[in-house]
Amino acid sequence: GDAYMCLWTLNPGYKMIGPLALFNLSEDPHEQVDISTTSPELANLAMRYLTEWQRDVARSSRHAVDPMMISLREGPLHSRGMLEAYSERLRSTGRAAHIPALVAGESVDLNVSRQ
């Protein structure tokens, strides 16, 4: 059968990525076509597998604190403390209109054509 990859994003860290993406790696090895909305049954199955895996890992952990929860609170490492520098980059490349959404913690499409 085909190979799939499911991404569940809880904090996009200044990236334009939705909360769920599903790719058919057999037909789309470069992950260009997100099929999560066109194949909802498959996306639901992938999320079930992911949820079961997360539950099993949490149950088998020797630690009381889930590192994923710590990472969610702190934000992605690559974007931690970088909002001002990234905002300046957006200003210098004609994309300053996206800054308020980033400050609010929203995911925005930063790859739109420059105005």
Side-chain angles (χ1 to χ4, degrees):
D2 288 344
Y4 294 90
M5 180 176 68
C6 179
L7 300 174
W8 180 35
T9 303
L10 301 173
N11 186 330
Y14 310 153
K15 302 293 183 192
M16 180 52 193
I17 185 169
L20 177 66
L22 180 65
F23 300 98
N24 181 332
L25 299 177
S26 299
E27 296 178 10
D28 179 23
H30 300 289
E31 303 157 26
Q32 300 296 304
V33 180
D34 177 4
I35 62 171
S36 63
T37 57
T38 58
S39 299
E41 302 86 11
L42 195 54
N44 287 337
L45 179 62
M47 282 305 299
R48 189 181 93 213
Y49 288 152
L50 184 56
T51 302
E52 289 172 359
W53 172 83
Q54 186 180 16
R55 181 200 63 218
D56 292 346
V57 169
R59 284 181 179 165
S60 66
S61 177
R62 293 179 284 142
H63 305 284
V65 178
D66 183 350
M68 183 176 77
M69 293 298 122
I70 294 169
S71 293
L72 283 173
R73 277 191 227 97
E74 295 175 351
L77 183 60
H78 75 274
S79 61
R80 235 178 267 160
M82 299 300 296
L83 182 58
E84 188 52 43
Y86 195 63
S87 295
E88 184 53 41
R89 171 78 176 144
L90 291 176
R91 284 185 202 96
S92 71
T93 57
R95 299 176 290 165
H98 297 297
I99 295 170
L102 289 175
V103 170
E106 300 168 9
S107 179
V108 297
D109 187 351
L110 299 171
N111 295 313
V112 296
S113 60
R114 295 187 180 108
Q115 300 166 346

